[in-house]
Amino acid sequence: MRRLLTRVLNRVLLSELFTPLMGIEAEIHTQGRRKLVVGLGNPGMEGTRHSVGMAVLGALAARLGVADRWRGDKHVSGEVIVSEVQQTHVVLLRPRLLMNINGVSVAKAAGKYGIRPEDILLVHDELDKPLGKIVIKHGGSARGHNGVRSCVDCLQTDVMPRLRVGIGRPTGKTPVERHVLGRFSSEEKKVLESVLVQSVDLLLSQLSQEDSQQESQPPSSPAGGRQAAQKRKETERSSSPAEISAATQC
């Protein structure tokens, strides 16, 4: 029932119309390659494990020298920075909606800036990976992550690549919800520093990759999204591992 209500809420919030593009927003919509990088999380809870995607995005903005350029955009229900990595226009997005409906903000930003689902990179926490491990996943199911599920629902496709940042499962009898909404301990923060550095390195690598095959493909359709993702995964398996891992030492 909760999942059904969330999907209905996603649809209602997405019914709002986009506003005309102006200035640099219009330019990025019409020129060159475009990418959207999203730090999934809960607004006002940036320091928690569940919002580690936002921490990674903050570190990326700092590396690009644009950390002071965040601005609220009510039309995408989030905060954005428009920047550039080599020849690629990049939009950084921090949704200002709850995690369960982050996809509304992502879909609105994709529509506003004319960015295809396969060019949207989601950054989010991952319970099933230990703190200190980051993994690139090329599309596929949400694996129980509510923020990713909202993105899949709103974009009507699951082709979006993800950077999964391990936070580990709780120890003892600590409930999962309390664990993910809690803040990192002092010892965990030491590991997190290295995680943020390596996460930004991996994001920049992904954003800088030239993919001529992707450039020639038409935009994904909702009906063909899953098939396109599966086809891409099979191609990756034949040439390289489907997941790229980077681990830090505790």
Side-chain angles (χ1 to χ4, degrees), residues 64-77:
L64 294 175
V66 295
D68 60 343
R69 285 168 49 185
W70 287 108
R71 61 178 180 79
D73 186 341
K74 64 180 181 180
H75 303 298
V76 302
S77 304

Side-chain angles (χ1 to χ4, degrees), residues 13 22 30 92 97 119 137 153 160 163 205 232 241-242 244:
L13 293 175
M22 299 294 290
T30 57
L92 309 184
L97 298 171
D119 290 328
K137 183 176 186 292
D153 182 37
M160 298 78 69
L163 176 61
S205 175
R232 183 152 48 250
I244 307 171

Side-chain angles (χ1 to χ4, degrees), residues 20 34 36 55 74 76 80 82 86 93-94 97 120 124 136 146 153 166 172 184 190-191 210 228 235 250:
R34 301 178 296 278
L36 174 63
K74 64 180 181 180
V76 302
V80 300
V82 177
Q86 294 186 5
L93 171 66
R94 295 191 302 204
L97 298 171
I120 299 173
H124 66 89
I136 286 288
N146 291 330
D153 182 37
F184 292 101
K190 296 177 183 178
V191 180
E210 293 294 335
T235 302
C250 298

Side-chain angles (χ1 to χ4, degrees), residues 33 35 85-88 204-215:
R33 300 177 64 212
K35 300 279 187 177
V85 176
Q86 294 186 5
Q87 302 301 315
T88 302
L204 290 175
S205 175
Q206 292 291 303
L207 293 172
S208 302
Q209 285 180 357
E210 293 294 335
D211 191 340
S212 59
Q213 182 179 0
Q214 179 174 311
E215 287 295 316

Side-chain angles (χ1 to χ4, degrees), residues 38-41 49-54 56 99 122-127 135 137 142-143 145 147-148 161-167:
V38 186
L40 299 183
R49 295 182 181 90
H50 208 24
S51 296
V52 71
M54 290 186 171
V56 171
M99 176 72 88
L122 307 176
V123 186
H124 66 89
D125 60 302
E126 178 53 60
L127 269 172
V135 177
K137 183 176 186 292
R143 293 193 177 185
H145 193 284
V148 176
R162 305 100 195 246
L163 176 61
R164 302 160 64 203
V165 182
I167 60 170

Side-chain angles (χ1 to χ4, degrees), residues 7-202:
R7 295 187 70 176
V8 171
L9 184 56
N10 283 332
R11 293 286 187 263
V12 171
L13 293 175
L14 274 177
S15 64
E16 299 177 12
L17 297 176
F18 299 118
T19 57
L21 297 171
M22 299 294 290
I24 189 171
E25 295 173 352
E27 181 180 350
I28 191 175
H29 194 281
T30 57
Q31 296 183 5
R33 300 177 64 212
R34 301 178 296 278
K35 300 279 187 177
L36 174 63
V37 186
V38 186
L40 299 183
N42 284 306
M45 301 184 68
E46 286 82 356
T48 63
R49 295 182 181 90
H50 208 24
S51 296
V52 71
M54 290 186 171
V56 171
L57 213 63
L60 175 59
R63 179 84 67 89
L64 294 175
V66 295
D68 60 343
R69 285 168 49 185
W70 287 108
R71 61 178 180 79
D73 186 341
K74 64 180 181 180
H75 303 298
V76 302
S77 304
E79 297 176 327
V80 300
I81 291 176
V82 177
S83 187
E84 189 170 310
V85 176
Q86 294 186 5
Q87 302 301 315
T88 302
H89 292 293
V90 177
V91 179
L92 309 184
L93 171 66
R94 295 191 302 204
R96 304 309 294 172
L97 298 171
L98 294 176
M99 176 72 88
N100 289 12
I101 51 174
N102 269 191
V104 173
S105 180
V106 176
K108 286 184 175 183
K112 180 171 184 175
Y113 293 101
I115 300 174
R116 303 176 301 184
E118 55 264 44
D119 290 328
I120 299 173
L121 210 165
L122 307 176
V123 186
H124 66 89
D125 60 302
E126 178 53 60
L127 269 172
D128 292 328
K129 301 292 180 185
L131 178 64
K133 188 169 185 178
I134 57 177
V135 177
I136 286 288
K137 183 176 186 292
H138 297 279
S141 70
R143 293 193 177 185
H145 193 284
N146 291 330
V148 176
R149 181 182 292 119
S150 175
C151 293
V152 171
D153 182 37
C154 292
L155 293 166
Q156 299 183 49
T157 179
D158 61 5
V159 300
M160 298 78 69
R162 305 100 195 246
L163 176 61
R164 302 160 64 203
V165 182
I167 60 170
R169 287 194 169 273
T171 57
K173 297 182 179 180
T174 304
V176 169
E177 183 175 354
R178 180 179 177 184
H179 175 70
V180 299
L181 296 180
R183 297 182 179 274
F184 292 101
S185 67
S186 298
E187 289 301 313
E188 288 175 325
K189 287 180 180 178
K190 296 177 183 178
V191 180
L192 184 62
E193 291 179 6
S194 297
V195 169
L196 295 179
V197 171
Q198 292 195 30
S199 295
V200 171
D201 288 342
L202 191 49

